[in-house]
Amino acid sequence: MQLAPLYPVLYRVLNPLFPACLWAGQSTHPVVALTFDDGPHPDYTPPLLDVLERYQVTASFFVLGQRVDRYPDLTQQIYQRGHWLGLHGYRHEGFPWLSAQALRQSLTDTQRAIAHACGLEPTVVHQQVRDVRPPNGLFTPKTLSDLERWHYRPVMWSVVPEDWLEPGVDVVLDRVLQQVQNGSHIVLHDGYYGGRDVAATVERLIPALVARNFRFVTIDDLWQQMAIAS
């Protein structure tokens, strides 16, 4: 079932209701954040990284801990190329259906996997890798309360082209370009669903956004913008 037309509406409704989440950056800044969920993937992540490097774009990757454990070298490449790492849970499980203990363990296990893959101290990763995007964008007020209590930062989205259904590069590109504006936070996927087209999509998307005078920033940059604005 395609919900692509509904995501802009959901963004406008949910953004003011849950201000503790990062939905987008400031509308006064001509920047966008490219973000990627569900990876790393051995077939889809490497060509995506090559495209980003060719255009000298820094992006944000919300990784699954299970995939990090399976492909530590790919995770290390993401980190070594300067991209921002966030947490998508250890497995692709809806947060509202996990107990608080299970959710916290899922995030801790993902941090542990990142620390091992990237050769970093676990305490450093626990302090620095704190951005969490719930799988499928599903959360409850309790989810947000728990994340805040554990000192994580909840991250959502403003542009969702539903690439995981693989509608084709042209469709994904058109959806993004119709919705993008200053501060947009764009969600794409480099995992099993949607990853097949992600490198080709980004290969065309970056020049199109540059032509509109956008600069590329990370999720951390968007948080910093919001902190300054407040």
Side-chain angles (χ1 to χ4, degrees):
M1 179 179 180
Q2 291 194 3
L3 299 175
L6 295 180
Y7 284 108
V9 178
L10 286 173
Y11 164 67
R12 290 193 295 270
V13 171
L14 295 176
N15 185 2
L17 293 178
F18 299 99
C21 297
L22 179 70
W23 296 88
Q26 290 294 302
S27 61
T28 54
H29 294 72
V31 300
V32 294
L34 286 180
T35 71
F36 303 94
D37 288 1
D38 295 357
H41 189 287
D43 297 327
Y44 307 143
T45 304
L48 170 61
L49 290 174
D50 289 343
V51 172
L52 293 171
E53 184 171 8
R54 186 158 61 252
Y55 286 104
Q56 297 184 324
V57 168
T58 303
S60 304
F61 287 77
F62 287 85
V63 295
L64 293 168
Q66 189 178 52
R67 307 291 293 178
V68 172
D69 275 336
R70 187 173 298 176
Y71 305 109
D73 291 346
L74 286 179
T75 308
Q76 187 177 62
Q77 284 187 46
I78 294 170
Y79 173 73
Q80 289 183 339
R81 295 194 190 195
H83 300 292
W84 189 255
L85 286 170
L87 310 172
H88 205 43
Y90 191 78
R91 297 177 180 85
H92 201 276
E93 300 173 298
F95 287 177
W97 290 274
L98 297 177
S99 67
Q101 181 181 1
L103 173 55
R104 191 171 191 181
Q105 190 64 53
S106 175
L107 299 175
T108 299
D109 286 347
T110 306
Q111 289 173 317
R112 172 201 51 76
I114 291 171
H116 176 74
C118 298
L120 300 171
E121 289 292 330
T123 53
V124 172
V125 173
H126 186 73
Q127 292 170 356
Q128 296 182 358
V129 184
R130 300 184 295 120
D131 292 322
V132 178
R133 176 183 286 145
N136 300 317
L138 298 176
F139 65 92
T140 66
K142 185 181 184 303
T143 304
L144 299 183
S145 176
D146 286 340
L147 292 176
E148 182 179 9
R149 182 159 51 89
W150 301 330
H151 305 292
Y152 291 106
R153 303 191 298 190
V155 176
M156 296 305 291
W157 36 258
S158 60
V159 178
V160 184
E162 213 173 32
D163 63 318
W164 62 88
L165 292 180
E166 298 185 347
V169 173
D170 289 340
V171 172
V172 172
L173 189 69
D174 185 59
R175 288 173 177 171
V176 173
L177 294 179
Q178 284 187 25
Q179 298 176 42
V180 71
Q181 55 189 318
N182 286 356
S184 281
H185 170 181
I186 302 166
V187 179
L188 297 169
H189 294 76
D190 65 325
Y192 184 80
Y193 295 102
R196 184 180 63 178
D197 291 335
V198 70
T201 298
V202 173
E203 179 80 62
R204 292 175 57 187
L205 180 59
I206 291 174
L209 293 174
V210 169
R212 297 189 182 190
N213 297 316
F214 286 111
R215 293 185 297 106
F216 297 91
V217 297
T218 67
I219 287 300
D220 191 52
D221 294 324
L222 294 187
W223 278 115
Q224 292 180 36
Q225 278 188 11
M226 300 303 289
I228 293 171
S230 62

